[in-house]
Amino acid sequence: MVESRHSISRGLWRKIHKSPLFDITQFVLLIVLILWFFARSTEQLGYNWQWYQVPRYIFQMTEDGIQFGPLWEGLMITFRISAISLVLSLVIGLTTALLRLSHSFVAKTIARVYLELIRNTPLLIQLFFIYFVLGPVLGLSRFPSAVLALSLFEGAYASEIFRAGIVSIRRGQWEAAYSLGLSLFDTYKDIVLPQAIRRILPPLTSQAISLIKDSALVSTIAIYDLTMQAQAVIAETFLTFELWFTVAGMYLIVTATLSIIVNIMENRFKMVT
Amino acid sequence: MAVCGRIFEIVSRRCNDNQLVVTIPNIGPRSIQRLCINITPLRKSHDLRQFHKLFLGHDTDIEELFYMAFKDEGDNIIVVDNISKTFPGGVKALVDFSTKIHRGEVVVIIGPSGSGKSTFLRCLNGLEEIDSGTIEIDGIPLDDNKNNRLEIRKEVGMVFQLFNLFPHLTVLENINLALRRVRKKSKEEAIRTSMNLLEKVGIAEKVDNYPSQLSGGQQQRVAIARALAMMPKIMLFDEATSALDPEMIGEVLDVMKKLAREGMTMVCVTHEMGFAREVSDRVIFMEAGRIVEVGTAKHFFTDPNEERTKLFLSQIL
Ligand SMILES: Nc1ncnc2c1ncn2[C@@H]1O[C@H](COP(=O)(O)OP(=O)(O)OP(=O)(O)O)[C@@H](O)[C@H]1O
Ligand SMILES: [Mg+2]
């Protein structure tokens, strides 16, 4: 008797748990809580919100058409650095993964040293090292230094993702390709990578999002990316909270867009099962 | 030449003679041709009288005769000399293993689990490295030379127990791939060849399906077609029917039998004794990395010499 009552209440609980109403209630509660928290804290700070000031730092309409503000320009810089670094980090990541999986001792060692070096030091130090030490030697200005640092850093993580994806392909696939006489290059290109990419895509997306967020660090070598522009505007206007919220929102839009694009790609890659 | 002609004459007469029951499943031009090819070595190594006695006696079994003919030197397409293979764990998978396989011969390998059957097949196309000994495929040594290796991989087709089709490619693309990349065929030619092969294995209507949309038997037939697309001289089958539901085994065996009748050199690891009996020229029973007994399928059914063979057969039959 006791047991059956127990199971009834469990079933009820599961029903509640599954209904969309439950999710919505949760969500609303969360929002209310956050708003309350901010209201309280700004009240105590005595902060004077001036949201109406913000849009013109992004863009404004004048007689001559749209005038882009510093935040928009910063966003474009962030975009460019992230995009170039992303492509480079994928190339570096894949190359390193292939080196690590090769049979050559030298190649494996090089890959290993690179990985350990990058993963065990902070990105900020790497950035400074490349800009202040390597930069003058190699003649790298700010922008290439920033791109190089970001690509090397994210490339190390990307390579682990690639490697995991490649080794997850069953041995039988390699053996079938081998017995058909396919070259190593063709085996990777036609058999292994197309299958691995489906497994690699989700973690690689998180890595790309990290890259976009990490790119904020380039402001430390005085590149006027989104973060740097925000700092500059705040120094002038003291719109601290409004601008930081806006900038966070802009990063969020970029990363969310990336996620959506990858999602669409993923669906296109889906295997027929 | 005279002997060859004479044998030919006897064989044809005996086959046409309705009075005599000749119990061979597939006596035909190919068998006769094979017999003639192997006359020279036979004369060299066997007493011709013994041969005649065997052949002309009433209980003569032509299958047995072919076996005799095949036993020694001839047109060897596979020469395996004294190979050994020890796995890193210390397992001796092959121990001083030697055998020769003729062009057009169908060899069936049987033996208990872990006896080294798969390892032997995998050594033949270089999927597994041997520790010592030599392997020669159609005159090409399987050594460190990359070109030799590639040549051998092209000449030796392999069919796996778990099919190993490429899941992200359609049936047509699975078969096409090596034709395009390795044989460097034009797209049209590759498609034409693939379609012919699919017709041959009886699944031409599935060209645009993905492997996961096919039954196990169909997948294995695609895998056979894929290996055949390379136009190999030798086909290796590693328990090609073991992963299949019983009702699908037949369709795959039929394709294999067809291949055997067309004169393909085949080395098959299988426990399908019906298949062995119907098309094999020779059965090798191995255990613990060594050959225990060699003979025709019939020999294994009727009077195997070794106790271990008897024990094993009593378990699988
Ligand atoms: N990659 C490997 N590493 C270590 N040991 C191995 C490896 N492959 C096979 N072996 C061992 O070598 C021996 C022979 O294996 P093999 O696969 O050739 O046997 P088999 O006759 O094909 O058996 P089965 O009928 O089960 O397929 C076994 O003892 C097996 O455990
Ligand atoms: Mg096996």
Side-chain angles (χ1 to χ4, degrees):
Chain A
M1 200 53 215
V2 175
E3 211 172 83
S4 81
R5 191 176 294 163
H6 187 70
S7 76
I8 286 170
S9 77
R10 268 249 295 274
L12 193 66
W13 177 241
R14 195 173 306 141
K15 233 182 225 165
I16 294 172
H17 219 297
K18 270 194 180 160
S19 90
L21 215 61
F22 186 71
D23 285 339
I24 293 169
T25 321
Q26 266 186 330
F27 186 69
V28 169
L29 269 175
L30 185 72
I31 297 291
V32 168
L33 201 71
I34 291 172
L35 286 181
W36 176 80
F37 183 78
F38 274 110
R40 285 281 301 174
S41 58
T42 50
E43 202 174 289
Q44 282 187 346
L45 281 171
Y47 192 82
N48 178 24
W49 292 94
Q50 300 176 27
W51 279 107
Y52 66 92
Q53 295 240 35
V54 172
R56 71 179 134 125
Y57 294 109
I58 304 173
F59 60 82
Q60 59 191 152
M61 304 295 277
T62 61
E63 304 90 77
D64 316 335
I66 299 178
Q67 292 259 294
F68 292 110
L71 289 188
W72 182 267
E73 275 161 21
L75 180 67
M76 287 302 115
I77 299 276
T78 293
F79 214 75
R80 252 178 51 213
I81 289 191
S82 305
I84 300 173
S85 305
L86 182 61
V87 173
L88 276 179
S89 72
L90 293 183
V91 173
I92 293 173
L94 183 58
T95 312
T96 312
L98 295 182
L99 288 183
R100 272 198 79 182
L101 292 168
S102 80
H103 293 296
S104 151
F105 177 74
V106 179
K108 272 196 250 191
T109 312
I110 292 174
R112 233 7 232 279
V113 169
Y114 158 69
L115 282 179
E116 296 303 331
L117 220 60
I118 296 290
R119 287 191 305 178
N120 293 306
T121 51
L123 173 56
L124 189 62
I125 309 292
Q126 292 167 24
L127 183 63
F128 284 170
F129 181 80
I130 288 176
Y131 179 57
F132 292 114
V133 182
L134 282 188
V137 179
L138 301 175
L140 295 178
S141 59
R142 281 177 221 281
F143 193 85
S145 299
V147 167
L148 185 62
L150 276 175
S151 329
L152 284 177
F153 183 75
E154 307 295 338
Y157 293 92
S159 97
E160 287 300 85
I161 295 169
F162 275 116
R163 196 175 73 101
I166 291 169
V167 298
S168 76
I169 301 302
R170 276 184 304 139
R171 208 173 64 162
Q173 296 287 305
W174 289 94
E175 293 181 347
Y178 173 92
S179 70
L180 287 173
L182 287 177
S183 66
L184 188 62
F185 179 79
D186 286 334
T187 305
Y188 268 117
K189 178 169 74 67
D190 294 319
I191 308 299
V192 177
L193 291 178
Q195 291 184 63
I197 198 74
R198 293 156 228 261
R199 294 173 203 184
I200 286 173
L201 222 39
L204 214 50
T205 312
S206 330
Q207 197 53 44
I209 287 170
S210 294
L211 186 147
I212 293 170
K213 293 182 298 179
D214 290 343
S215 77
L217 274 181
V218 304
S219 59
T220 56
I221 58 170
I223 289 180
Y224 277 75
D225 74 324
L226 186 52
T227 305
M228 188 63 177
Q229 292 284 14
Q231 278 172 329
V233 176
I234 289 166
E236 266 172 47
T237 61
F238 299 103
L239 294 169
T240 318
F241 282 111
E242 293 88 337
L243 279 171
W244 283 134
F245 277 127
T246 308
V247 167
M250 288 166 86
Y251 275 113
L252 189 67
I253 289 170
V254 175
T255 52
T257 313
L258 183 69
S259 295
I260 290 168
I261 293 172
V262 173
N263 238 313
I264 293 168
M265 271 165 68
E266 234 174 308
N267 283 333
R268 284 195 41 191
F269 274 136
K270 271 235 173 76
M271 242 182 283
V272 191
T273 42
Chain B
M1 203 51 225
V3 179
C4 190
R6 166 125 183 81
I7 299 253
F8 198 109
E9 192 190 304
I10 297 172
V11 171
S12 351
R13 205 176 53 225
R14 287 197 86 163
C15 290
N16 293 332
D17 194 341
N18 293 329
Q19 302 290 307
L20 265 168
V21 185
V22 184
T23 51
I24 345 156
N26 59 329
I27 181 93
R30 173 177 163 254
S31 314
I32 294 167
Q33 189 190 355
R34 273 211 219 147
L35 188 66
C36 297
I37 290 171
N38 287 282
I39 284 307
T40 332
L42 190 85
R43 192 166 43 184
K44 197 166 69 192
S45 55
H46 285 275
D47 190 353
L48 209 57
R49 264 173 314 181
Q50 183 198 358
F51 177 72
H52 275 274
K53 196 180 85 199
L54 260 171
F55 194 68
L56 299 171
H58 279 287
D59 58 347
T60 301
D61 185 332
I62 293 186
E63 236 179 296
E64 204 61 45
L65 191 71
F66 286 164
Y67 173 62
M68 297 294 289
F70 270 129
K71 231 168 99 180
D72 289 281
E73 297 299 321
D75 183 12
N76 293 318
I77 193 166
I78 301 177
V79 181
V80 175
D81 191 28
N82 229 12
I83 61 168
S84 294
K85 169 79 192 174
T86 307
F87 280 106
V91 179
K92 290 194 163 86
L94 292 173
V95 185
D96 299 331
F97 193 100
S98 301
T99 189
K100 286 172 185 165
I101 294 169
H102 294 256
R103 199 177 296 281
E105 196 179 2
V106 176
V107 174
V108 162
I109 300 177
I110 56 174
S113 179
S115 55
K117 307 180 295 292
S118 300
T119 307
F120 172 60
L121 280 199
R122 293 159 59 84
C123 284
L124 287 183
N125 68 351
L127 260 181
E128 217 68 79
E129 299 291 331
I130 49 176
D131 300 332
S132 61
T134 58
I135 295 176
E136 232 177 70
I137 305 287
D138 205 13
I140 307 167
L142 181 62
D143 51 22
D144 290 338
N145 184 316
K146 272 229 167 84
N147 289 334
N148 285 351
R149 224 158 233 276
L150 180 62
E151 211 41 54
I152 287 173
R153 282 159 62 195
K154 285 192 207 166
E155 285 193 9
V156 181
M158 188 161 196
V159 176
F160 303 85
Q161 183 173 0
L162 296 174
F163 331 136
N164 292 349
L165 290 176
F166 305 130
H168 60 300
L169 300 179
T170 63
V171 166
L172 184 66
E173 289 165 339
N174 261 280
I175 300 174
N176 254 342
L177 188 68
L179 279 172
R180 301 293 311 280
R181 299 279 186 270
V182 185
R183 293 279 185 219
K184 311 278 185 212
K185 293 276 195 282
S186 71
K187 196 171 176 186
E188 294 73 41
E189 202 182 341
I191 291 180
R192 200 152 6 95
T193 311
S194 308
M195 289 308 295
N196 284 340
L197 283 168
L198 281 173
E199 221 127 274
K200 181 168 171 174
V201 298
I203 28 177
E205 75 282 3
K206 299 285 186 189
V207 266
D208 293 322
N209 287 68
Y210 284 88
S212 54
Q213 297 167 323
L214 306 183
S215 73
Q218 290 170 331
Q219 289 190 47
Q220 193 60 296
R221 285 185 282 152
V222 173
I224 294 175
R226 179 177 70 175
L228 288 176
M230 293 295 292
M231 284 173 265
K233 294 182 182 154
I234 300 164
M235 286 285 281
L236 309 176
F237 292 83
D238 191 356
E239 308 205 27
T241 55
S242 299
L244 298 176
D245 292 336
E247 71 269 21
M248 294 172 187
I249 291 175
E251 61 192 57
V252 172
L253 286 181
D254 284 345
V255 172
M256 290 169 67
K257 287 174 195 166
K258 202 153 122 190
L259 263 182
R261 297 211 173 98
E262 286 169 6
M264 176 66 78
T265 308
M266 293 165 61
V267 186
C268 317
V269 173
T270 180
H271 290 168
E272 296 292 333
M273 292 312 281
F275 171 81
R277 175 155 217 175
E278 204 171 318
V279 294
S280 81
D281 298 296
R282 181 156 51 131
V283 175
I284 297 177
F285 170 62
M286 60 186 291
E287 193 178 56
R290 289 189 174 85
I291 295 180
V292 174
E293 189 164 354
V294 186
T296 58
K298 180 158 188 189
H299 163 81
F300 274 88
F301 275 121
T302 49
D303 62 332
N305 303 334
E306 304 286 329
E307 279 309 312
R308 279 179 293 174
T309 316
K310 282 178 197 159
L311 185 66
F312 175 73
L313 287 172
S314 70
Q315 280 161 358
I316 65 160
L317 289 179

